[in-house]
Amino acid sequence: MLARLQQFTTIGLILAAAAWAAYFIRAGSPGWAAAGALLILFGYALFLAIEFVMLWFVNRRDSCPRATVGQLVAAWWGEVLTAPLVFCWRQPFRSQAEPDFVPEGAGRRGVVLVHGFVCNRGLWNPWMRELRSRGVPFVAVNLEPVFGSIDRYAEIVERAVQRIESATGKAPVIVAHSMGGLAVRAWLDCCQGDSRIHRVITIGSPHRGTFLGRFGHAPNTRQMCLGSEWQCQLASREPAQRFERFTCFYGHCDNVVFPASTATLPGADNRHVAGVAHVHMTHHDEVFNEVLRWVGSTSDDAVEWAKPGATPAR
């Protein structure tokens, strides 16, 4: 569903820009043609800039280290480069390009990849290629319905965990981006899955909500409001020791989950990633190397396939 929606959006933007440019070129106004087409195609960069301004103000009262203006600008630019690759290419057109890798009798610990809000498994394409090249089994889920309750995603996570358990005979490492971290916690709560995980690694997950949640109206966005009733009820049922198996990556330049410290959990290994925005954080080498550490890498060399601030691979 999401792939088709983003296909329609991407193609629609390109056609709208082309129609605008054609109309004003014929009218003898090449300047208006160029300006309008660029605004249609790259207007998202202005929207991202607004998010960064908002996070700068909101984070002023947060316990997280303050980001410098230079870090915010660099993070904004990294997200400007990353967003089209994810939302206009990988997710709409390449979400099935990398199939799950679950060889029977693999004997290696596997990974379950859980994406976030308005994303699908195509987000993880660079990860999946790298994991397959290293012989690491993995399953990447699609959380649907896209605008449903987070509780409904627990069954999807359960099926993915079962596939990895069946293929490897080992408890998986679960990696979750953004809302995916809440989906994993909902699964742990629903299925009492503590004994079935080796490690949970969350990347920019709104564990205690996000300021932007107030602007959403779908069930899952309301659940991600700061201090929502859903979060409070979930937290009241979670054993304190559960989060000892969590590594939570968060950052002061996360333009979706802020205040920044809301992406941390008490008792978890909370890791601050400086100067990196929300989607771009999934392609940070420190994050991927942490996953390799928990699954057991086939190589002693650290992976450096996506340096901070660099454009991730296709």
Side-chain angles (χ1 to χ4, degrees):
M1 173 183 173
L2 180 72
R4 291 182 180 179
L5 177 62
Q6 292 183 342
Q7 287 172 8
F8 176 81
T9 302
T10 299
I11 295 172
L13 287 171
I14 293 172
L15 292 176
W20 176 284
Y23 176 83
F24 280 97
I25 287 174
R26 289 174 183 172
S29 302
W32 280 105
L38 289 173
L39 183 61
I40 292 171
L41 294 175
F42 299 103
Y44 74 92
L46 298 177
F47 181 79
L48 289 173
I50 293 172
E51 290 182 341
F52 278 93
V53 172
M54 293 172 63
L55 84 85
W56 184 82
F57 279 102
V58 173
N59 275 344
R60 289 186 300 174
R61 298 182 180 180
D62 193 58
S63 59
C64 182
R66 291 292 302 279
T68 66
V69 173
Q71 286 175 319
L72 289 169
V73 171
W76 168 79
W77 182 243
E79 203 76 341
V80 167
L81 296 176
T82 303
L85 284 173
V86 172
F87 296 102
C88 299
W89 178 240
R90 290 182 195 147
Q91 292 185 168
F93 300 107
R94 303 287 292 171
S95 64
Q96 301 301 321
E98 301 291 338
D100 294 335
F101 180 58
V102 282
E104 291 295 331
R108 294 204 59 190
R109 193 176 306 281
V111 177
V112 174
L113 299 167
V114 186
H115 63 78
F117 182 64
V118 195
C119 288
N120 64 23
R121 68 189 304 281
L123 170 75
W124 304 107
N125 281 358
W127 284 63
M128 292 189 280
R129 283 193 293 271
E130 185 67 31
L131 290 173
R132 181 180 284 105
S133 72
R134 291 170 170 267
V136 178
F138 63 82
V139 171
V141 305
N142 280 325
L143 299 180
E144 293 184 347
V146 176
F147 302 108
S149 169
I150 295 173
D151 293 309
R152 297 184 64 178
Y153 303 144
E155 182 180 350
I156 298 172
V157 176
E158 169 67 12
R159 290 197 296 266
V161 171
Q162 287 179 353
R163 288 184 64 195
I164 289 293
E165 287 175 329
S166 176
T168 68
K170 299 178 183 293
V173 173
I174 303 181
V175 184
H177 177 242
S178 195
M179 183 192 69
L182 295 176
V184 172
R185 288 173 59 193
W187 166 74
L188 285 167
D189 179 62
C190 173
C191 299
Q192 295 301 302
D194 296 84
S195 63
R196 299 168 60 200
I197 56 170
H198 184 60
R199 193 73 178 177
V200 176
I201 297 173
T202 66
I203 311 163
S205 289
H207 291 299
R208 286 176 284 134
T210 173
F211 181 86
L212 292 183
R214 67 186 62 193
F215 301 112
H217 300 287
N220 46 11
T221 56
R222 291 198 302 269
Q223 289 168 329
M224 290 187 284
C225 288
L226 288 172
S228 71
E229 180 181 355
W230 180 86
Q231 294 168 39
C232 294
Q233 291 178 352
L234 175 63
S236 70
R237 298 190 299 267
E238 293 175 306
Q241 67 272 20
R242 173 171 292 169
F243 301 141
E244 295 175 358
R245 292 191 177 188
F246 276 64
T247 300
C248 301
F249 287 95
Y250 70 107
H252 57 189
C253 290
D254 189 325
N255 55 303
V256 173
V257 178
F258 55 88
S261 63
T262 59
T264 66
L265 285 169
D269 180 6
N270 296 306
R271 307 275 191 92
H272 182 252
V273 182
V276 183
H278 186 68
V279 177
H280 200 184
M281 199 182 299
T282 61
H283 304 291
H284 194 286
D285 56 340
E286 180 182 350
V287 177
F288 190 77
N289 284 326
E290 177 69 3
V291 175
L292 290 183
R293 186 171 76 88
W294 284 102
V295 299
S297 177
T298 57
S299 170
D300 294 329
D301 298 327
V303 171
E304 297 185 2
W305 54 277
K307 281 295 187 182
T311 303
R314 291 182 299 166

